[in-house]
Amino acid sequence: MNELNFHHLRYFHTVAHEGNLTRAAERLNVSQSAVSTQIRQLEQQLGQPLFERRGRSLVLTEAGRIALDHADSIFAAGEELLNTLGERPSGQKQILRVGSMATLSRNFQIGFLRPLLGRDNVEVVIRSGTLRDLLQNLEAHRLDVVLANTTPPRDAATPWISHAIAEQPVSLIGKPAMIGERVPFEELLAHKPLVLPTIESSIRSSIEALFDRLHIRPRIAAEVDDMAMIRLLVREGAGLAVVPPIVVKDELENGRLVEIERFPQLSETFYAVTLSRRFPNPLLRELISNLAA
């Protein structure tokens, strides 16, 4: 098998960027003849001329430009590997791959990622899906972190680490026109149409227990597993929503919706789920450290 000689490639890479054999030889601390020999051997291996001489300068051929693009990527990846495993800062763009449950509040996601947004050297990749699919991708190292509002089952085979990153109260939210004046909280729950999270939600069982204690048979207008859809329904006046206020933060601030009352002893906890890794993504480490500060 004809394998690429990376020693030859390093010489080529240096000459291509210097544009001159003399400067390249000085930088590599070898003789010009040694550099020329390495370049010729690489050209023989690739079967293409990589340079053409113009006066005292060497100019890349078409094949040389293609080879240089690959060489740049190869040596940049090598430097990134050394930086990652050596836990050193890198000059390359850093990427954080985030998995987020499709039902999770967008406002919460933005709040968690805000310290990284807008940085020139950072790219955030966000993928949504079911918790099961996201955890599989986390375990396969295709994701760095999964954002969820429930903790996944933990055992010796899948030692998830669930960082509690936020705890939000749960409130009854609605359009001002639907509320009226001085209507008791319990009466609103009993007589107004409600938009509730589905039975799989972490807060639904607590809501059901409250209805039972108050002997309320709620008028359920909709059961929704997507916080973004709950936000739209309550904005349209489909009912009063049982939801963390962060989900409708903008509407509360501009007065389009109002927070009627917070449910006692009821909250929703958000988690950043990770795996224990020897070389964690430094961007994730920064976000988790900010939470502890």
Side-chain angles (χ1 to χ4, degrees):
M1 182 178 178
N2 190 20
E3 295 184 352
L4 183 65
N5 187 311
F6 287 93
H7 191 63
H8 296 165
L9 191 66
R10 172 63 76 181
Y11 278 51
F12 160 73
H13 186 255
T14 304
V15 173
H17 281 288
E18 293 293 341
N20 181 281
L21 276 176
T22 302
R23 290 194 299 271
E26 291 174 353
R27 182 175 168 186
L28 293 166
N29 198 28
V30 296
S31 66
Q32 291 188 44
S33 60
V35 175
S36 297
T37 299
Q38 298 281 353
I39 298 298
R40 283 197 301 271
Q41 290 176 348
L42 180 62
E43 289 176 328
Q44 290 171 1
Q45 185 179 29
L46 296 177
Q48 300 288 339
L50 301 177
F51 294 103
E52 59 181 39
R53 185 174 291 279
R54 293 182 185 173
R56 295 185 177 182
S57 298
L58 293 175
V59 178
L60 288 167
T61 63
E62 182 181 359
R65 292 185 184 280
I66 294 172
L68 181 59
D69 286 342
H70 285 279
D72 283 340
S73 298
I74 288 168
F75 291 121
E79 182 181 356
E80 187 70 14
L81 175 62
L82 290 172
N83 289 330
T84 299
L85 299 188
E87 300 185 89
R88 297 190 296 266
S90 168
Q92 301 295 316
K93 176 172 279 193
Q94 296 174 285
I95 298 176
L96 181 70
R97 293 176 173 85
V98 180
S100 180
M101 291 178 61
T103 59
L104 212 59
S105 162
R106 274 50 169 179
N107 286 336
F108 159 71
Q109 296 176 51
I110 292 296
F112 176 70
L113 297 171
R114 184 167 286 118
L116 304 181
L117 302 179
R119 293 192 192 177
D120 292 337
N121 65 334
V122 171
E123 178 181 344
V124 178
V125 178
I126 303 175
R127 304 192 185 282
S128 62
T130 65
L131 183 60
R132 179 181 177 182
D133 290 341
L134 295 174
L135 292 176
Q136 288 178 347
N137 282 294
L138 179 65
E139 193 171 14
H141 301 277
R142 289 189 288 268
L143 293 173
D144 298 304
V145 61
V146 170
L147 301 181
N149 57 359
T150 184
T151 55
R154 188 179 189 278
D155 54 40
T158 51
W160 315 115
I161 302 172
S162 297
H163 306 268
I165 55 179
E167 187 171 359
Q168 294 290 330
V170 176
S171 299
L172 188 64
I173 305 287
K175 297 184 72 172
M178 290 193 65
I179 300 168
E181 295 184 3
R182 298 180 182 178
V183 179
F185 181 52
E186 292 81 0
E187 189 173 329
L188 289 172
L189 291 176
H191 299 294
K192 293 292 183 179
L194 300 177
V195 179
L196 301 178
T198 56
I199 199 68
E200 295 83 10
S201 166
S202 60
I203 62 175
R204 179 63 182 270
S205 60
S206 297
I207 295 294
E208 296 283 357
L210 177 63
F211 290 152
D212 183 67
R213 290 196 301 273
L214 297 176
H215 305 290
I216 290 175
R217 297 183 63 182
R219 293 176 54 196
I220 300 177
E223 297 181 69
V224 186
D225 65 358
D226 185 343
M227 288 296 174
M229 180 56 72
I230 290 180
R231 177 185 183 187
L232 292 176
L233 288 172
V234 70
R235 279 171 45 179
E236 292 299 317
L240 304 180
V242 176
V243 69
I246 190 174
V247 174
V248 289
K249 177 176 175 290
D250 295 341
E251 288 81 0
L252 292 175
E253 290 177 351
N254 62 33
R256 187 170 182 178
L257 298 175
V258 294
E259 182 180 8
I260 302 164
E261 190 167 334
R262 293 189 175 181
F263 288 90
Q265 300 178 334
L266 180 57
S267 62
E268 184 171 35
T269 304
F270 298 95
Y271 300 92
V273 183
T274 64
L275 281 176
S276 179
R277 291 178 179 170
R278 185 178 177 185
F279 305 105
N281 188 312
L283 294 175
L284 176 61
R285 194 162 46 196
E286 177 184 340
L287 289 176
I288 298 299
S289 297
N290 286 342
L291 297 170

